[in-house]
Amino acid sequence: MSTEAAELAVDTEPETEAVVQTFGLTKVYGTTAAVDHMDLRVSRGAVYGLIGPNGAGKTTTFSILATLLAPTSGAADVCGFDPMVEPYEVRRVLGYMPDAFGLYDDIRVAEYLDFFASAYRLPAGQRKSVVPDLLELVELSHKADEYVESLSRGMKQRLGLARALIHDPEVLILDEPASGLDPRARQEFRELVLELQRMGKTLVISSHILPELQQMCSHIGVLEGGRLLAEGSPEDILSKIGTGRSYRVKLASPGSEAQALEVLEARELVSGAACESGLCEFVLAGGDDQAADVLAALTAAGIRISEFAETKTDLEDLFLKITGGGDDEPAA
């Protein structure tokens, strides 16, 4: 592990109640460690994004937490229950939406949810209110009497989320929930995730797309080769590894490149500033407040701005920085 990763692994935030934890969690297949001594901690009410390339161990971790797979060693805890010792208790407090989940054909949307509500032993009277409420939450009320097979992929994802919510769990685990969705469907799903957080749910979400998690997660864990290399808020991870947040500024004032560069270079948290042909680019080690300060400094200097926008950091750059070159092979 690189020095940057070791520093990020230390949690400096005030201690809050953890609802999902792992302790030296390990899963070995033959000679390959799919999960390698993972110590994970997810606080109540967080939207925790587990990011890593395909084969990093995300799905294996989720399968263990969801009581579907036994670890080789180590332990896990979900809301105070051990997934291996108390699987039924875990299933009562956990909703799991796998990356690939089965949706039955020849069944209507409302009937589909009613079936799973019955499987969770919800009384018939309760099911009559729960199913419509969930359909409203995921904006599928208008599809209640349609067949599941007729839904678009985005609608099927939302139906899968409704299924995971059918028993009102405290914790939701969503494995690549936005995979294969178009931009509009991704935006709708992000809004739904944030609404669930406002409802008091704790969410653990996996993805291999960093910008996707940046927009909805309060915390991020970086996973590679089965090892958790770094944890923290998206801004903390990007700033502490020296990558920061990249910005692009289009200048509306002709010939103001030199003046804009001078303003940018005078800002303490700005690095890598360059201005040419009416365009400035720089890296900012800070959040939205610091970005607003930079914009205010440019306009206060009389520089007219036509566009001020953040450019997203590539996942590949993040991994190369954290892993010190990416020499480690990912787990299967």
Side-chain angles (χ1 to χ4, degrees), residues 188-200:
E188 291 172 347
F189 206 93
R190 283 195 296 268
E191 293 172 355
L192 184 53
V193 165
L194 296 176
E195 176 61 26
L196 290 170
Q197 184 190 30
R198 286 191 288 269
M199 293 168 60

Side-chain angles (χ1 to χ4, degrees), residues 62-307:
F62 286 174
S63 296
I64 294 172
L65 292 172
T67 78
L68 303 177
L69 187 66
T72 303
S73 61
D77 181 291
V78 179
C79 296
F81 301 112
D82 185 325
M84 295 302 102
V85 178
E86 304 162 294
Y88 294 107
E89 287 79 0
V90 170
R91 291 169 193 172
R92 282 200 294 265
V93 298
L94 177 71
Y96 178 43
M97 179 179 164
D99 180 17
F101 54 90
L103 287 172
Y104 304 134
D105 294 334
D106 298 324
I107 189 172
R108 300 180 192 276
V109 169
E111 293 172 339
Y112 176 85
L113 290 182
D114 184 76
F115 169 79
F116 280 97
S118 177
Y120 275 100
R121 300 182 180 178
L122 271 65
Q126 185 178 353
R127 298 202 302 270
K128 289 182 179 179
S129 61
V130 167
V131 170
D133 287 348
L134 283 175
L135 288 175
E136 182 178 356
L137 175 66
V138 300
E139 298 183 355
L140 287 177
S141 297
H142 63 297
K143 295 290 184 178
D145 295 323
E146 300 289 332
Y147 283 98
V148 169
E149 61 198 76
S150 70
L151 301 181
S152 67
R153 178 168 176 80
M155 290 179 180
K156 288 179 178 178
Q157 291 290 86
R158 299 207 302 271
L159 180 60
L161 180 57
R163 185 185 72 179
L165 286 164
I166 200 73
H167 58 302
D168 194 23
E170 296 181 43
V171 178
L172 280 169
I173 291 181
L174 312 179
D175 194 359
E176 300 277 359
S179 175
L181 299 186
D182 60 45
R184 179 176 180 179
R186 285 177 183 268
Q187 177 62 33
E188 291 172 347
F189 206 93
R190 283 195 296 268
E191 293 172 355
L192 184 53
V193 165
L194 296 176
E195 176 61 26
L196 290 170
Q197 184 190 30
R198 286 191 288 269
M199 293 168 60
K201 304 295 184 185
T202 301
L203 296 98
V204 186
I205 306 171
S206 75
S207 179
H208 60 276
I209 305 172
L210 178 59
E212 182 176 278
L213 292 183
Q214 280 181 284
Q215 297 178 36
M216 59 181 166
C217 291
S218 57
H219 297 77
I220 284 180
V222 180
L223 187 66
E224 186 184 40
R227 290 177 293 155
L228 191 63
L229 301 183
E231 287 185 290
S233 70
E235 294 79 9
D236 286 344
I237 287 181
L238 291 173
S239 62
K240 289 179 181 177
I241 65 176
T243 302
R245 299 168 66 179
S246 300
Y247 287 85
R248 172 175 293 190
V249 181
K250 289 186 179 180
L251 306 176
S253 303
S256 60
E257 291 87 353
Q259 184 184 8
L261 182 61
E262 182 179 352
V263 172
L264 291 172
E265 290 181 337
R267 307 298 301 182
E268 182 178 352
L269 299 179
V270 170
S271 62
C275 295
E276 186 178 358
S277 302
L279 182 68
C280 292
E281 295 180 318
F282 63 93
V283 175
L284 179 65
D288 293 341
D289 289 343
Q290 288 71 33
D293 290 342
V294 172
L295 178 59
L298 289 168
T299 55
I303 301 169
R304 296 173 58 228
I305 307 297
S306 62
E307 181 181 331

Side-chain angles (χ1 to χ4, degrees), residues 2-13:
S2 66
T3 302
E4 291 91 344
E7 290 175 351
L8 281 171
V10 179
D11 185 4
T12 58
E13 295 183 358

Side-chain angles (χ1 to χ4, degrees), residues 43-67:
S43 299
R44 182 175 297 280
V47 178
Y48 188 106
L50 194 61
I51 186 169
N54 294 331
K58 304 185 297 294
T59 297
T60 300
T61 301
F62 286 174
S63 296
I64 294 172
L65 292 172
T67 78

